[in-house]
C-alpha cells in the first residue's frame, strides 16, 4: 500500500518547494521529464511512492510527470526531504550540473 501524507504535510512541503526551490523543481523536471526544454516546473503532490511536477516547455507544451523516489517507498514526513534531495542530486548528475551543498 502506498503511503498518503495528510493535507498539512502536503501543503507545507509543496509551499516550501514552490516558494523556496523553484530552480530545483526545474532542474528535477529537466532531468526526468520526457519533454525537452522544460522552462518551468511546480511540484503538485506526492505520496509514499513518488513526487509529481507540472511542467511547461519553451514551446508551451504542458505535462504532469511522476518521479519515483530514488530510495524506494517512504512513509514518514522526514523521508520526503531526504528523497527530494536525492532527486535533486540525481538530476544534477544526469544533467552534469554541480549540486550545491545541502544543509
Amino acid at each position: 500500500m502506498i503511503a498518503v501524507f495528510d493535507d498539512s504535510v502536503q501543503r507545507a512541503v509543496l509551499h516550501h518547494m514552490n516558494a523556496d526551490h523553484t530552480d530545483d523543481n526545474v532542474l528535477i523536471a529537466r532531468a526526468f521529464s520526457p519533454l525537452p526544454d522544460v522552462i518551468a516546473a511546480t511540484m503538485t503532490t506526492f505520496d509514499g511512492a513518488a513526487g509529481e511536477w507540472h511542467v511547461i516547455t519553451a514551446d508551451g507544451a504542458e505535462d504532469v510527470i511522476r518521479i519515483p523516489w530514488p530510495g524506494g517507498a517512504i512513509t514518514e514526513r522526514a523521508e520526503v526531504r531526504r528523497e527530494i534531495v536525492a532527486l535533486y542530486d540525481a538530476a544534477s548528475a544526469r544533467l552534469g550540473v554541480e549540486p550545491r551543498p545541502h544543509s
Side-chain angles (χ1 to χ4, degrees):
M1 182 154 96
I2 296 174
V4 176
F5 294 89
D6 68 38
D7 289 345
S8 66
V9 172
Q10 286 273 332
R11 277 192 307 274
V13 170
L14 295 176
H15 178 268
H16 177 71
M17 287 301 295
N18 295 323
D20 299 336
H21 294 285
T22 54
D23 291 342
D24 296 351
N25 285 335
V26 172
L27 182 82
I28 290 167
R30 282 185 180 150
F32 295 103
S33 175
L35 298 176
D37 301 324
V38 170
I39 60 167
T42 304
M43 190 174 191
T44 56
T45 192
F46 61 91
D47 57 30
E52 290 186 11
W53 282 261
H54 173 256
V55 300
I56 302 171
T57 66
D59 66 1
E62 297 186 39
D63 197 8
V64 173
I65 58 171
R66 184 168 172 84
I67 308 169
W69 302 128
I74 60 174
T75 58
E76 305 286 326
R77 179 182 178 153
E79 295 172 312
V80 177
R81 180 186 189 281
R82 180 193 72 208
E83 293 304 312
I84 291 173
V85 168
L87 275 179
Y88 168 81
D89 288 343
S92 296
R94 184 178 274 201
L95 297 174
V97 173
E98 183 68 30
R100 71 176 181 291
H102 307 296
S103 54

